[in-house]
Amino acid sequence: MEHLNRGGFDFDLCNRNNVLEKTGLKMKGFMKTGTTIVGVVYKGGVVLGADTRATEGPIVADKNCEKIHYIADNIYCCGAGTAADTESATALISSKLKLHKLSTGKQTRVITALTMLKQMLFKYQGHISAALILGGIDINGPSLHTIYPHGSTDQLPYVTMGSGSLAAMAVFEAKYKNDMTKEEAIALVAEAISSGIFNDLGSGSNVDVTVIEPSGVTVLRNYQTPNERKYRNNPYIFKQGTTPVLKQDVAPLSTKVVIEDIMMG
């Protein structure tokens, strides 16, 4: 049968890698990632929160990245793991849900987004490094779900994921209560994210919050900025000539340009 290139991941070399590993070759492991993302259900809606630090190994690559992704007008998703995987996975499902909404003419349901995300992640057996918190509100009311990279899911009133999840969960378990107001939920989410920021090296910078209600979505970008950079009041000003010029060589432009006449036949 003719081999069809269907795209996506290729697992043909898995057996080869297993043989090489048995011979003593140390295989490359997963890259360690860092994030704190949380979500909580309150009376009438859902509040999602995330930090804004993006790391590249031991390097802070971005101090103010966005980790709360748009899925639909009534659904948003926090992403932890590899930034490219979380952004691509959520963007792909968001596009499919838009087509689904145009086809059915009805509001997108949270369970539809959950099913599409978990089926895609399960198909790739964890090779897409995306740990997600999906929150939204539909005809069934507010709901909150976690989606692990291998495709397993949970539905809970409050959730945390990422390397700072334990610090954030400590805040939730101590202070969560049923039927919170919107203001109480926002304050609790901000405190949980701040706990991850200050207790986990992979999390940092600012606190982003998104509130999902029946009336609409409120995106509170940089809701808190506990790590603002302190700039110097008196910037360095060096006088001209402070750094000596050791060598100066000026090349005429004419020596670098070749002018040719092209005969048009």
Side-chain angles (χ1 to χ4, degrees):
M1 181 178 178
E2 182 181 357
H3 176 69
L4 299 178
N5 183 14
R6 300 182 183 276
F9 291 103
D10 187 352
F11 298 99
D12 292 342
L13 299 179
C14 290
N15 292 331
R16 184 207 67 175
N17 293 342
N18 291 332
V19 173
L20 291 175
E21 191 172 5
K22 291 178 181 178
T23 61
L25 179 67
K26 186 176 180 180
M27 305 302 293
K28 186 176 181 181
F30 290 98
M31 177 175 287
K32 294 181 180 179
T33 59
T35 285
T36 301
I37 54 174
V38 307
V40 64
V41 177
Y42 71 94
K43 188 177 182 180
V46 177
V47 178
L48 301 176
D51 73 303
T52 63
R53 172 178 289 181
T55 57
E56 186 179 349
I59 301 169
V60 177
D62 190 350
K63 297 179 181 179
N64 198 30
C65 70
E66 292 188 63
K67 300 182 182 181
I68 305 179
H69 307 285
Y70 172 88
I71 298 293
D73 292 339
N74 58 316
I75 305 171
Y76 276 71
C77 183
C78 302
T82 303
D85 287 350
T86 58
E87 290 186 10
S88 297
T90 53
L92 175 62
I93 299 305
S94 177
S95 176
K96 290 185 176 181
L97 287 173
K98 181 66 174 179
L99 294 175
H100 183 272
K101 181 179 179 180
L102 292 172
S103 176
T104 60
K106 297 180 180 179
Q107 183 190 54
T108 305
R109 296 194 183 187
V110 179
I111 191 64
T112 306
L114 175 72
T115 302
M116 294 175 72
L117 281 167
K118 68 187 293 186
Q119 286 180 347
M120 184 187 71
L121 292 178
F122 177 77
K123 179 172 66 174
Y124 292 111
Q125 294 292 295
H127 288 270
I128 295 179
S129 179
L132 309 173
I133 292 178
L134 184 71
I137 189 167
D138 53 23
I139 60 172
N140 297 313
S143 59
L144 188 65
H145 305 266
T146 59
I147 310 170
Y148 291 86
H150 288 81
S152 60
T153 62
D154 287 321
Q155 182 176 3
L156 297 164
Y158 59 91
V159 297
T160 67
M161 294 193 83
S163 57
S165 61
L166 295 180
M169 182 56 75
V171 174
F172 276 166
E173 290 185 340
K175 298 186 177 182
Y176 174 82
K177 60 182 181 180
N178 293 327
D179 296 330
M180 289 188 297
T181 65
K182 180 173 74 171
E183 291 73 22
E184 290 174 332
I186 292 175
L188 182 61
V189 164
E191 184 179 352
I193 295 297
S194 295
S195 179
I197 287 174
F198 290 112
N199 293 283
D200 171 48
L201 291 177
S203 308
S205 296
N206 308 318
V207 178
D208 283 352
V209 174
T210 297
V211 184
I212 306 172
E213 304 174 272
S215 58
V217 176
T218 304
V219 177
L220 303 174
R221 176 74 166 143
N222 291 345
Y223 177 71
Q224 291 181 357
T225 54
N227 292 297
E228 290 189 69
R229 183 174 179 180
K230 302 297 188 295
Y231 291 93
R232 295 179 182 274
N233 293 328
N234 299 317
Y236 293 119
I237 299 177
F238 298 100
K239 295 181 179 179
Q240 187 174 0
T242 301
T243 303
V245 179
L246 301 180
K247 182 180 178 181
Q248 184 174 351
D249 186 11
V250 180
L253 186 60
S254 59
T255 62
K256 305 294 184 181
V257 178
V258 178
I259 300 175
E260 296 181 352
D261 292 331
I262 301 176
M263 302 297 297
M264 302 297 293

